Each structure stands twice: as structure tokens, then as C-alpha cells.
Amino acid sequence: MDLNQLSLTVQKGSTAKVKELVSDALAQNVSPTEILNEGLIQAMAVVGEKFKNNEVYVPEMLMAAKAMNAGMQVLEPILTATGVKPIGKAVIGTVKGDLHDIGKNLVRMMLKGAGIEMYDLGIDVSAQAFLNKAKEVGADMVCLSALLTTTMPYMDSVIKEFEKDGVRSQFVFMIGGAPVSETYAKTIKADYYAEDAVVAVDVAKKILA
Ligand code: B1M
């Protein structure tokens, strides 16, 4: 299976064809990890680079993202399949002002696959919404995603909201997203930083073991 063809199809934003190619790859026993890394995620890296160089614009970026999400939907049942009893609960969302959801969706799927009950608040999520949901479901973890340097500081606002409410110590915070770093996590006193969805699973298993 030529995963480069899948990557090019995502870049073009051909949603139906992406679904078909992902299904074909699975039928040919290509691993979901390979499909993700070499077909889907690789495509977004190319689109991001082209956007930076003014070779593509927001509409093309959006179409590629839709195609990528469609491909991920085909993989979702496999990534989230788990026979184990839930080991914990987590609330996840992309912080206020930020509309990027592909990385967050991937982290959600992989955590679900690791046996964690996931509550996804979506994109553009306020600190109050994180706090309300975490308390309502009795979450163990609160997972924050941000893709923009301008929205990353809102992660600090979320943690401060929990502090203000007097419940900060009841929850473990994991943060991630392209501009986020270990150093930034320390600065805002988040408990863990995960650079990608695989590391996020390792971290969650360590916390909830
Ligand atoms: Co946007 N965008 N975008 N965009 N976009 C970036 C992020 C950018 C880097 C592009 C570029 O310039 N090269 C740039 C940000 C620059 C910066 O701040 N440093 C950018 C910009 C500027 C913008 C706009 C401002 C453009 C504009 O309007 N002028 C605008 C902002 C809108 C907003 O949010 N308010 C915008 C809009 C969009 C679209 C809506 C068109 C679309 C998103 C659609 C969607 O998500 N449904 C979009 C896209 C697609 C991108 C790129 C091309 C791809 C992002 C992506 O999905 N990557 C991106 C360029 C790039 O990343 N190379 C770009 C694939 C995904 C799997 O990776 O999300 O990084 P990622 O997730 C990783 C890790 O980061 C980590 O795990 C994941 C993988 O394992 N991770 C976590 C993520 N969350 C985690 C949470 C965790 C742990 C790990 O724990 C809780």
C-alpha cells in the first residue's frame, strides 16, 4: 500500500477517497500506527509547511483537516477498542480561542483505547466548562490541548480556575499541542506534558495505575 498516495489525497482534501484508502490499507493489514503517521499526520505537516510559505491558505488547510478527520474516523473503532475495565476518567478539550481538534481527537481515541473513560468537550473550551465537567463526572485527569502560541497561555487560566475553586489538588493536569513544552508545563504547574498521543497514553497509564 502506497501511504504517500494517502498523504497526497489528504492534502487535496478528498474526504471520500481518504476513507476508501484508509479502509484499503487496513484490509491489506497495514498497521493503524503506520497509516496514521505516514499517511495522515505526515499530510498535515506538509499542509502546515505550505501554509507557512503562503503556498496554501485557510480553506485548503480546512479541507485537508476534514479529510484527515474522516480518515481518523475509519481508524477510531480500532484505536479505541479495549477489552479492559475502565482504569479512570478524563476530561479533554482544546482551550478557548483555539479551533484545532485533530491532535486532541487523536489523544482522546488513544486514551480511550487505553481504557480511560473520556469526556470530550470539543474545541474553544472555557476554563469554567473544564471545571464544571471535571467536577460533574469525578474525573481523575484534565487534558488540555492548544495549537497556537496565542491560545497556549489559556492553559494557565484553566489551572488557575481550578485553584480559585479550591479543587486543583483533586485533578491531574496533562497538557500538549505543538507549541507546548515541558518547560511551559512546569511554568504553569501542570502535572504532565505529553509531546504526542503515544506519550499521553504512557503518562495516563502511569498516573492511573
Ligand atoms: Co492552523 N495553524 N490555524 N488550522 N493549522 C497551525 C497550528 C500552524 C502551525 C500553521 C503554520 O503556520 N505552519 C499555525 C500556528 C502558528 C503558531 O501559533 N505557532 C496555525 C495558524 C496560524 C492558524 C490560524 C491563525 C490561521 C488563520 O486564520 N490565519 C487559524 C486559527 C484558528 C483558531 O484556532 N482560532 C488556523 C486554522 C486552522 C484550520 C481551522 C483551518 C485547521 C484546523 C482544523 C481542525 O483541527 N479541525 C488548521 C490546521 C489543519 C493546521 C495544521 C496544518 C495542522 C494541525 C494538525 O492537525 N496537525 C497546523 C500546522 C502543523 O501542525 N504542522 C496549523 C496534526 C495533528 C495530529 O498534530 O495537532 O500537533 P497536533 O497534535 C499532536 C501533538 O501536538 C500532540 O499529540 C498529537 C499527535 O500525536 N497533542 C497533544 C496535541 N494535543 C495534545 C494534548 C495532550 C497531549 C498531546 O494532552 C492533553
Side-chain angles (χ1 to χ4, degrees):
M1 172 88 204
D2 180 10
L3 291 174
N4 190 42
Q5 193 198 345
L6 174 59
S7 167
L8 290 171
T9 311
V10 173
Q11 291 170 45
K12 277 194 222 143
S14 314
T15 303
K17 186 76 186 161
V18 166
K19 282 187 180 174
E20 192 188 309
L21 288 175
V22 172
S23 300
D24 287 353
L26 287 173
Q28 289 173 37
N29 287 325
V30 182
S31 78
T33 316
E34 248 180 282
I35 299 173
L36 261 175
N37 291 337
E38 290 167 37
L40 303 178
I41 295 179
Q42 197 268 354
M44 298 317 291
V46 175
V47 172
E49 200 50 35
K50 286 190 171 166
F51 176 77
K52 208 164 69 184
N53 298 329
N54 294 319
E55 291 168 44
V56 300
Y57 299 93
V58 172
E60 287 98 327
M61 203 156 64
L62 192 55
M63 279 174 68
K66 282 193 178 143
M68 159 112 194
N69 266 327
M72 274 170 42
Q73 270 168 26
V74 180
L75 293 177
E76 181 157 11
I78 302 165
L79 294 178
T80 59
T82 168
V84 296
K85 245 175 66 194
I87 56 170
K89 291 181 191 170
V91 170
I92 191 166
T94 304
V95 299
K96 199 176 171 74
D98 200 320
L99 308 178
H100 297 83
D101 68 354
I102 294 172
K104 182 266 297 167
N105 291 346
L106 195 52
V107 172
R108 182 201 68 224
M109 285 178 203
M110 302 278 279
L111 291 180
K112 194 171 168 207
I116 299 164
E117 215 171 296
M118 297 301 295
Y119 296 87
D120 188 350
L121 296 174
I123 52 175
D124 195 18
V125 182
S126 70
Q128 193 65 50
F130 278 112
L131 176 65
N132 291 347
K133 198 68 185 178
K135 286 183 3 185
E136 180 199 320
V137 303
D140 302 287
M141 286 171 64
V142 179
C143 305
L144 310 178
S145 178
L147 262 285
L148 300 170
T149 42
T150 49
T151 55
M152 187 177 75
Y154 194 77
M155 292 174 152
D156 189 28
S157 309
V158 178
I159 295 179
K160 294 241 162 70
E161 191 70 29
F162 280 67
E163 276 168 9
K164 216 168 70 192
D165 199 66
V167 295
R168 166 65 183 90
S169 60
Q170 294 173 27
F171 303 96
V172 173
F173 277 85
M174 174 161 66
I175 65 171
V180 182
S181 65
E182 187 79 57
T183 310
Y184 182 68
K186 288 206 175 95
T187 310
I188 66 167
K189 300 195 183 72
D191 302 287
Y192 294 93
Y193 159 69
E195 66 189 65
D196 60 30
V198 175
V199 176
V201 168
D202 290 345
V203 168
K205 281 185 172 162
K206 195 165 84 183
I207 297 167
L208 300 169

